[in-house]
Amino acid sequence: MARNNVFFAMCAPGFEPVLHQELRSLRFGKIERQVGGVHFEGRFEEGMRANLWLRTAVRVLMRLDRFEARDADALYRGISEIDWSRYLRPTGSLVVQAHSKDSSLDHTLFIEQKTKDAIVDQFRERTGERPSIDKDRPDLGVFVHFYRDRCTLSVDMSGDSLHKRGWRRAQTRAPLSETLAAAVLQFSRWDRRSPLLDPFCGSGTLLIEAALLAGGYAPGRYRERFGFEAWPSHDEAAWRRLRDEARDAGELPPKLVLRGWDEDPMAVAAAKENVIAAGFEGRIEILRGEASRFAPRHGWNAWVVTNPPYGERIGAKGTTLGALYNQFGQQLREHCEGYHYALLSGNPKLSDSLGLTPDKVVPLQNGALECRLLLGQR
């Protein structure tokens, strides 16, 4: 019987509750929420499945070992005990990332160098060849985490960040990441059947992620490659089965309404291009129009889920945005009775201009920006 592996699904700060629920819904085993992600256990195939199906994780790590290391020699020995030929070819490339807290070895650059030395030396002694270091596109990512002199050694199964779904063909000046969009949708508690409207749709990220969520599509179905596919020990037959199952799964509810607006014609064009690339042409409607004038239908009881401009990165003036927020809030107050809303705001003063009293506020990160997700019902 194949042994269980320990995995760690990493996520952005604040995403842990929805990521934990995702893992539960997908029936992964021995789930435990941590700061920065969620642990789970299972056969190696479960790690591959997690990469295909998790919406709010940024990468999936697989633990190789845990050992005590109070000095450099102990770290080198522990790293050397792993058979690295299972995860990397002698002529491949790697990158090492280290984190240390309350430990004797507290210099992360030294930890990374010592780890790299142990891996490279093993290949050189066995084959006469040595892997190289590549910080941009490595064949293998190695994560070394120290806490109270205990080292947890993991390898990155994902490769590129999982927010890179593979459907994006065009983007606007301030794009919302796919994982953040997925988190916003799940925090909104959208029922996946009611109409979903995005009056500031930008490049269409929220709407496409909503279609993937409502249709039960795997968010990794578009990706050309994951990190573990480069490993010498990769089980291609098992992976092909999981990948084909994911690509065949999913179907949008036939009458679901997904609609977005943006006043920027370039954003509208980008959104339409992305919708086509994701395979939802004819199912997601993109319109050009001002958010302050979007036309909610009475009695729809829809969800308004959107990411209004914050005045960051896109160069908008606060006074102009204040008026826009006020007009948009007025639309919600006067024409959206029975609607739910989930508004991602990176500017508290602008949020006040909406004139809304949210039922709940969830702190989230949009890149380096501290944001608040305002949740409520009219």
Side-chain angles (χ1 to χ4, degrees):
M1 183 176 179
R3 70 178 181 89
N4 269 6
N5 293 284
V6 179
F7 302 97
F8 185 65
M10 298 174 62
C11 66
F15 291 17
E16 294 92 345
V18 290
L19 177 56
H20 183 265
Q21 183 56 48
E22 280 190 72
L23 285 156
R24 288 187 59 189
S25 299
L26 291 166
R27 300 183 182 278
F28 286 96
K30 296 188 178 180
I31 303 164
E32 181 182 349
R33 191 197 308 182
Q34 301 284 331
V35 175
V38 181
H39 280 109
F40 64 100
E41 295 186 19
R43 295 178 302 166
F44 182 76
E45 287 80 359
E46 293 292 83
M48 294 193 290
R49 188 165 72 94
N51 277 277
L52 276 169
W53 285 95
L54 291 178
R55 303 177 191 279
T56 57
V58 292
R59 62 184 68 253
V60 177
L61 307 183
M62 184 177 74
R63 183 193 297 173
L64 299 186
D65 200 5
R66 297 183 75 179
F67 53 90
E68 190 171 288
R70 297 179 181 274
D71 55 40
D73 289 341
L75 172 61
Y76 188 95
R77 285 195 303 272
I79 301 298
S80 299
E81 288 178 2
I82 301 298
D83 179 6
W84 290 100
S85 67
R86 291 181 52 79
Y87 311 103
L88 184 64
R89 301 183 192 282
T91 55
S93 61
L94 75 153
V95 67
V96 181
Q97 296 185 44
H99 177 81
S100 181
K101 183 178 180 181
D102 300 336
S103 298
S104 301
L105 292 174
D106 58 0
H107 195 297
T108 56
L109 291 178
F110 177 80
I111 294 170
E112 291 170 3
Q113 183 65 41
K114 203 67 178 177
T115 300
K116 185 269 294 181
D117 289 347
I119 297 171
V120 168
D121 289 350
Q122 183 183 104
F123 278 101
R124 186 188 289 117
E125 291 169 5
R126 291 182 179 181
T127 69
E129 296 181 291
R130 52 156 291 171
S132 60
I133 300 300
D134 187 341
K135 296 183 178 181
D136 297 319
R137 299 280 296 182
D139 295 316
L140 180 68
V142 180
F143 284 72
V144 186
H145 184 274
F146 268 90
Y147 181 64
R148 294 181 178 176
D149 293 324
R150 190 159 185 80
C151 176
T152 300
L153 179 65
S154 304
V155 285
D156 175 20
M157 295 188 68
S158 304
D160 282 338
S161 170
L162 294 178
H163 85 273
K164 297 180 179 180
R165 308 285 202 229
W167 55 255
R168 189 181 293 279
R169 297 293 180 270
Q171 64 184 33
T172 51
R173 288 173 290 175
L176 191 68
S177 80
E178 292 82 344
T179 48
L180 178 54
V184 166
L185 288 161
Q186 292 180 64
F187 275 119
S188 78
R189 297 190 179 276
W190 176 47
D191 62 9
R192 311 182 193 184
R193 294 296 180 269
S194 299
L196 187 135
L197 313 177
D198 182 357
F200 299 92
C201 73
S203 57
T205 308
L206 273 165
L207 294 164
I208 293 171
E209 288 296 317
L212 292 172
L213 181 64
Y217 297 100
R221 69 201 304 264
Y222 307 95
R223 291 254 300 211
E224 292 185 359
R225 196 164 183 82
F226 293 88
F228 58 80
E229 294 182 71
W231 297 359
S233 59
H234 174 55
D235 186 342
E236 178 60 31
W239 168 236
R240 188 183 301 113
R241 175 178 55 80
L242 289 169
R243 183 192 59 201
D244 291 348
E245 288 175 358
R247 288 178 175 174
D248 292 341
E251 184 177 3
L252 269 178
K255 296 183 179 180
L256 177 64
V257 174
L258 300 170
R259 186 173 298 167
W261 295 260
D262 204 287
E263 64 177 348
D264 182 354
M266 294 183 65
V268 170
K272 289 182 176 180
E273 186 176 349
N274 288 331
V275 165
I276 293 171
F280 296 121
E281 185 178 13
R283 297 306 315 270
I284 297 176
E285 186 178 9
I286 305 294
L287 304 170
R288 186 181 176 189
E290 297 179 17
S292 59
R293 297 182 181 178
F294 88 101
R297 182 175 297 179
H298 181 72
W300 249 7
N301 298 328
W303 261 255
V304 178
V305 183
T306 194
N307 175 42
Y310 313 148
E312 299 284 347
R313 293 183 291 173
I314 62 172
K317 296 181 180 179
T319 52
T320 303
L321 284 179
L324 175 62
Y325 270 63
N326 184 269
Q327 293 165 8
F328 176 54
Q330 185 176 356
Q331 281 290 92
L332 292 177
R333 294 192 306 271
E334 296 181 359
H335 302 290
C336 294
E337 184 178 356
Y339 280 46
H340 295 76
Y341 63 84
L343 312 177
L344 186 65
S345 173
N347 189 318
K349 292 183 178 179
L350 290 173
S351 301
D352 294 341
S353 299
L354 291 167
L356 299 171
T357 304
D359 300 323
K360 185 177 181 181
V361 178
V362 180
L364 293 175
Q365 291 282 132
N366 184 2
L369 295 173
E370 294 185 2
C371 297
R372 300 186 306 161
L373 180 62
L374 313 180
L375 303 172
Q377 183 175 11
R378 291 298 304 140

